[in-house]
Structure formats: structure tokens, C-alpha cells
Amino acid sequence: MKSAMEVKELQKVFGKNIAIKHVDFNVKQGEIFGLLGPSGSGKTTMVKILTGELSKTAGDVNVLGMDSSKFKTSDFKSKVGILSDNSTLYKRLSVYDNLKLFCKLYKAPLHHIDDILHDVHLYEERFKTASDLSKGMAQRVLLAKALIHKPDLVFLDEPTSALDPGTMIHIHRALQKLNEVGTTIFLTTHNMEEATELCDRVAFLHKGELQELDSPAALRYKYSDHTFHVETVAGERMVIKNEPETADQVRQLIANRQVKAMHTDNPTLGQIFLKVTGKELV
């Protein structure tokens, strides 16, 4: 599969502080790629380098076939959407007029506004002034702003941070719908459930270094102790090792219809991150 992004030996230094340390990864076209890490791990710095807001200290970065020298060009900006901590709205304008302004800026058809507002569940609030929006509503408008020109690649830096579960669901559905039509999504988050639900692959970033990179399912399997946790109909709880010599025991439980529930011991991404780095994913 063709790459939407390639990063090789990327390094970013601020004075004596090395924020990004010789990082290598690629993002495939059409996938949702998650960069996971706690606050201060280098996630936002990474996004700012990949979008041209910060210059790299060393290494090679290629996004949508363009190297970093092209990141400030109109060609690059027309193909990329960004939701970051720098994203803002014009507070005195309505939701609709904010998006209308960005349609003109990106030369996008005005009918995109109604479409995207339906996607983020804000069509009924389209004439509400931006200053009157709740934090969750404002975040959904910022997401709509990032998507209004139907970019090939979207960068989302902590898009659901501190949002309520209902708002988070609206944003997740909008992202999944966007991805279904082939848009590549680069997502930074410290929300392990969000990453597990949305991402095709995730990378763990800790102190500026990548610790792991794979699909959530593959990582959970890799760090599992592969035991079966069984609850019987009688209420007994059993832990059975996944080994050839226990096969008859499991088979007998199932044959005798004694199993009420059974699952393998696959850890969460948060538990894996803690095991790999010694640090909570918060």
C-alpha cells in the first residue's frame, strides 16, 4: 500500500532538550494512525513538524509526496486538514459564517457546509454565534473547519481531550465516515479506548522515542499472557493457561455446558504502555 507519510531519522532539539529522538515510521494511505503518549511525550511537536508549523532539526519527512520544504505552499495546505491546539473560530460569527469563510479560503463549494454540519451533528446550531457554543460544540465546529475542503490527510491533535462521552461519539462517527471514503487520519491521543476503537495502527511515543508500533489487536496479543479466564455456570472463576495440556480441561468445560463466560487475558493499550515505559498513559 502506498504511503501517505514517511518519517526517517526525525529529530527535533530545543536548546539542550531533545524533544524528538531519531524517529522512523510511515503512515499508509487510507489508514487511521494513532500516536499515543502522555503529555510532554512529543506528540504535539511531531504534529507541528509534519504540518510545517515547526522546522525539523534533522532527518527526512515526506507527506503526500512532498518534502518539508513544500509544507507552507498552497498545494500542501489544500490537501491537508488540521485540528490542533492553535485552531480557533471567529467568536462574533455564526457557525455557518465561520465555515463559509473557510470555504472561500480553501475554494470549497458552499454546499459542503451543510454536509459537514450534519456529520458532526451541528446542523441545527448552524446560526448560533461561536461565542455561545459549549466547548464540545466548538470542538466539533473546529473539526468541521479542518474537513470542509475534503482533504486527503487530516491531522488531529487530541481532538476529544476533556470532552464528554456524547460529544466524543459524534466526533468518532464523523472520523469513521471520513475514513470510509479513503481519507488518511493522523491522530494523537492519550485516550487508549479511543485509539483501540479508531486506529488501524498505533505508535507509542515516550520521551521523544517510539517504543512500539503495530495494530491495537497485535499489540494486545503480543503482551498477553495467553491465559483463559473462565466463569462457570455455578459461579466459579478459573484461570487456565493456554497450553496443549489444558486443552482437554477447556474442552470438557464446554462439552458439559459449564461455561458462562470465557475470554483471553489481552491487556489494554494503557496497560501495555505502562509495561513498556513505566509511565501511565494520561
Side-chain angles (χ1 to χ4, degrees):
M1 184 181 294
K2 190 175 180 181
S3 292
M5 184 188 308
E6 294 181 347
V7 175
K8 298 179 180 178
E9 285 293 307
L10 179 64
Q11 187 175 22
K12 180 61 181 178
V13 178
F14 296 100
K16 296 182 179 180
N17 177 39
I18 302 176
I20 303 292
K21 303 176 183 178
H22 305 290
V23 168
D24 292 89
F25 67 90
N26 76 302
V27 177
K28 302 169 187 175
Q29 280 189 356
E31 79 171 330
I32 301 180
F33 185 93
L35 187 64
L36 278 66
S39 298
S41 62
K43 302 190 307 297
T44 296
T45 298
M46 181 75 74
V47 170
K48 289 182 177 180
I49 292 172
L50 296 173
T51 57
E53 190 174 338
L54 280 177
S55 60
K56 57 186 173 63
T57 301
D60 296 313
V61 179
N62 187 288
V63 179
L64 298 178
M66 291 177 266
D67 62 35
S68 56
S69 67
K70 305 288 199 312
F71 289 179
K72 294 186 182 297
T73 65
S74 58
D75 185 31
F76 180 81
K77 292 178 180 179
S78 69
K79 296 176 180 178
V80 170
I82 304 170
L83 173 56
S84 71
D85 55 359
N86 291 331
S87 299
T88 59
L89 298 172
Y90 291 98
K91 299 294 187 180
R92 295 184 180 181
L93 297 181
S94 68
V95 170
Y96 186 90
D97 285 340
N98 263 281
L99 296 181
K100 183 178 179 181
L101 185 62
F102 287 103
C103 274
K104 292 180 178 179
L105 181 64
Y106 287 111
K107 299 180 181 179
L110 292 181
H111 69 78
H112 283 185
I113 298 175
D114 286 354
D115 294 340
I116 197 66
L117 285 176
H118 280 296
D119 288 342
V120 298
H121 288 253
L122 281 176
Y123 182 76
E124 299 300 324
E125 287 78 21
R126 64 192 182 281
F127 298 126
K128 182 174 287 190
T129 303
S131 60
D132 294 331
L133 298 174
S134 66
K135 181 176 180 179
M137 287 182 178
Q139 188 76 340
R140 278 184 276 164
V141 179
L142 288 171
L143 177 61
K145 170 188 164 184
L147 307 180
I148 198 69
H149 56 305
K150 297 189 181 297
D152 297 326
L153 170 64
V154 181
F155 290 94
L156 304 173
D157 189 15
E158 302 280 0
T160 60
S161 178
L163 297 184
D164 65 88
T167 299
M168 192 179 300
I169 289 171
H170 287 318
I171 289 180
H172 286 178
R173 287 175 179 170
L175 295 180
Q176 289 166 334
K177 182 176 180 180
L178 183 71
N179 183 243
E180 286 171 1
V181 298
T183 304
T184 305
I185 298 173
F186 185 95
L187 170 76
T188 75
T189 183
H190 61 254
N191 185 323
M192 57 191 172
E193 294 179 3
E194 179 171 72
T196 302
E197 178 182 349
L198 291 177
C199 296
D200 298 301
R201 290 188 301 150
V202 296
F204 289 169
L205 188 68
H206 180 55
K207 295 183 179 180
E209 296 182 275
L210 286 190
Q211 306 292 330
E212 280 283 7
L213 197 167
D214 212 328
S215 70
L219 288 173
R220 295 182 69 201
Y221 182 80
K222 177 180 178 180
Y223 286 91
S224 172
D225 63 9
H226 307 300
T227 56
F228 291 111
H229 290 246
V230 180
E231 181 183 357
T232 68
V233 174
E236 183 183 3
R237 296 181 184 273
M238 309 168 66
V239 179
I240 304 172
K241 290 185 178 181
N242 187 359
E243 297 174 347
E245 52 266 32
T246 64
D248 286 340
Q249 181 183 2
V250 174
R251 188 181 301 112
Q252 195 66 40
L253 285 168
I254 296 173
N256 293 337
R257 297 185 177 180
Q258 295 180 36
V259 176
K260 181 178 180 181
M262 181 169 64
H263 62 87
T264 54
D265 187 23
N266 290 341
T268 66
L269 291 183
Q271 290 168 332
I272 297 169
F273 193 92
L274 179 60
K275 184 172 184 177
V276 171
T277 68
K279 188 174 180 64
E280 292 280 1
L281 190 57
V282 295

